[in-house]
Amino acid sequence: MNSSVQRTAGYVVLMLVLAVSGRVEAAEREGGPTDRGIATVQVGTDGAPDVERKLGASPCMVPSVTGDTVSYLYNAKDAKGHYFLRLEVNGRVDSITVSKDPPLAGVCYAPLAHTMSLRTEEGLELGATMEEVLRVYGKPMERFAVGSMARFRYVAMLDRTYEWDLVFRDGRLVEWTVVSEE
């Protein structure tokens, strides 16, 4: 996984608990995701100019320690709620996260330039049930669960390796991330 991709505090806690508890359920992959975009932005192909053209210029950007990766941070509201969008750009979009909770705490999030759906290319959106995700993506390669939190992980080789991490709280999707790996 791209080490510059930071996760929400809940996700980090979930992963630490899983590492300590060792509760990992492996599952055979059937089907799997192929969607690499959300809000018209594509991981692995779009660059910073594309992000700004499609989503609007964001005064809310956070550079990495080395300065080579920039996080574009947006917020969006629709009839179903308030969401946060984070795009990691290092020449091209390396990852996209849409979540109910801010992926980075304590920083600003710019509004999207215009209202748009935050559905994935395959039609998933935050609030989807685990069953809906399984119907669209198939069985995950890895499946973790601790209390009310769960995580599905998928990996697929398309034009390059991609990883999808989906986090659920109380059986509902609260975070969707896709990462392009080289």
Side-chain angles (χ1 to χ4, degrees), residues 10-11 14-15 18 23 25 130 142-153 165-175:
Y11 176 81
L14 172 65
M15 294 309 298
L18 291 170
R23 288 189 55 200
E25 300 173 33
M130 290 178 160
E142 295 176 344
R143 184 178 190 161
F144 308 98
V146 175
S148 66
M149 300 290 289
R151 175 180 170 249
F152 289 179
R153 179 176 172 263
D165 290 298
L166 287 77
V167 179
F168 300 85
R169 187 180 308 127
D170 297 321
R172 296 282 181 172
L173 185 63
V174 295
E175 183 175 290

Side-chain angles (χ1 to χ4, degrees), residues 5-7 16 37 44 46 52 54-55 65 68 79 118 121 124 129 134 140 149-150 167 170 176 182:
V5 178
Q6 297 178 4
R7 305 290 181 207
L16 289 172
D46 283 342
E52 293 182 16
K54 293 176 179 183
L55 303 179
V65 173
D68 54 357
L118 292 183
E121 296 170 320
L124 284 179
T129 65
L134 291 169
M149 300 290 289
V167 179
D170 297 321
W176 178 92
E182 291 205 22

Side-chain angles (χ1 to χ4, degrees), residues 47-58:
D50 301 306
V51 170
E52 293 182 16
R53 181 175 43 80
K54 293 176 179 183
L55 303 179
S58 175

Side-chain angles (χ1 to χ4, degrees), residues 111-169:
L112 292 173
H114 38 94
T115 303
M116 63 181 58
S117 170
L118 292 183
R119 288 183 176 191
T120 71
E121 296 170 320
E122 294 185 18
L124 284 179
E125 60 186 339
L126 295 184
T129 65
M130 290 178 160
E131 293 76 24
E132 290 168 327
V133 170
L134 291 169
R135 213 172 10 258
V136 173
Y137 284 177
K139 292 181 181 178
M141 291 183 69
E142 295 176 344
R143 184 178 190 161
F144 308 98
V146 175
S148 66
M149 300 290 289
R151 175 180 170 249
F152 289 179
R153 179 176 172 263
Y154 298 87
V155 176
M157 181 60 140
L158 304 173
D159 60 328
R160 64 178 56 90
T161 303
Y162 291 86
E163 179 179 328
W164 291 262
D165 290 298
L166 287 77
V167 179
F168 300 85
R169 187 180 308 127

Side-chain angles (χ1 to χ4, degrees), residues 38-83:
I38 199 161
T40 73
V41 176
Q42 296 290 308
V43 166
T45 57
D46 283 342
D50 301 306
V51 170
E52 293 182 16
R53 181 175 43 80
K54 293 176 179 183
L55 303 179
S58 175
C60 301
M61 296 186 287
V62 178
S64 67
V65 173
T66 60
D68 54 357
T69 302
V70 175
S71 294
Y72 282 80
L73 306 169
Y74 298 94
N75 67 55
K77 293 180 183 177
D78 67 13
K80 295 182 180 181
H82 188 187
Y83 308 103

